[in-house]
Amino acid sequence: MPHSSSPANDQATARPTPVQRAGGRFGLERPRRGRQPGPGRFLVAAVVAILGSLAACAAIVAAGTAIFPATAGYEHFRFLDYAKLTVPGVALASLAWLAVTLYTPRARLLFGWLTVVVTVGGLAPDLWILYRGAPPAAVLILVVMHLALAAVTYPALVLIAPQRLEPRAPRS
């Protein structure tokens, strides 16, 4: 007698999709409030990430132009030029940290991978301006600046405003 298939059997034996496998790896689930960092710690972490990123970029520009004097005065090394991209970028990363803590109990792992992906993607404009004729030494300095943003922002957020392990019990 042929085996009959039922929807319940088909679902039980269906292979998980790549999205489902990734969700399992990172523990993605429906949003659960209470695991997010406290608001005070989050604000401190975001400010530290923004100010630390700006300070790191300024130090890298100073060191880079000292090592490569021909890059002094390069348009992308002006404080306001990189600050107008750094501040919103780090602010968005901070909000992403809150979102990730809402959807997974293992937020540091997922946020770490997202940091890598966004940082690598953020190098695309650097490669574009190199292709368009920007001085390679200047582009190298910009790449180091992008890497510094990740190196400052990730630890600032996950260490200063860590994810709570368990949701808070509702107050009576």
Side-chain angles (χ1 to χ4, degrees):
M1 186 148 152
H3 179 266
S4 68
S5 177
S6 72
N9 282 344
D10 290 344
Q11 287 178 354
T13 59
R15 303 186 94 195
T17 66
V19 171
Q20 290 169 329
R21 284 194 304 272
R25 169 111 169 96
F26 295 113
L28 295 178
E29 55 189 46
R30 294 173 65 176
R32 289 184 56 191
R33 298 205 186 281
R35 289 192 297 225
Q36 294 180 297
R41 291 186 73 119
F42 170 73
L43 288 175
V44 168
V47 168
V48 166
I50 290 169
L51 295 179
S53 293
L54 289 171
C57 286
I60 291 165
V61 166
T65 55
I67 295 168
F68 304 110
T71 63
Y74 186 62
E75 64 180 317
H76 296 299
F77 294 165
R78 291 185 302 234
F79 180 80
L80 289 178
D81 194 59
Y82 61 80
K84 70 181 178 186
L85 298 172
T86 299
V87 172
V90 175
L92 285 173
S94 300
L95 294 174
W97 172 239
L98 281 183
V100 170
T101 61
L102 184 65
Y103 282 95
T104 178
R106 295 183 294 214
R108 287 175 71 154
L109 175 65
L110 178 57
F111 192 65
W113 280 106
L114 291 173
T115 300
V116 169
V117 168
V118 169
T119 301
V120 169
L123 298 178
D126 298 340
L127 296 175
W128 177 251
I129 63 171
L130 179 64
Y131 172 75
R132 302 284 294 169
V139 173
L140 175 63
I141 294 167
L142 290 172
V143 167
V144 173
M145 289 168 70
H146 276 106
L147 298 176
L149 294 176
V152 169
T153 302
Y154 177 85
L157 294 171
V158 302
L159 297 176
I160 296 171
Q163 179 180 35
R164 293 182 185 138
L165 297 179
E166 293 294 323
R168 288 186 175 173
R171 292 185 174 180
S172 307

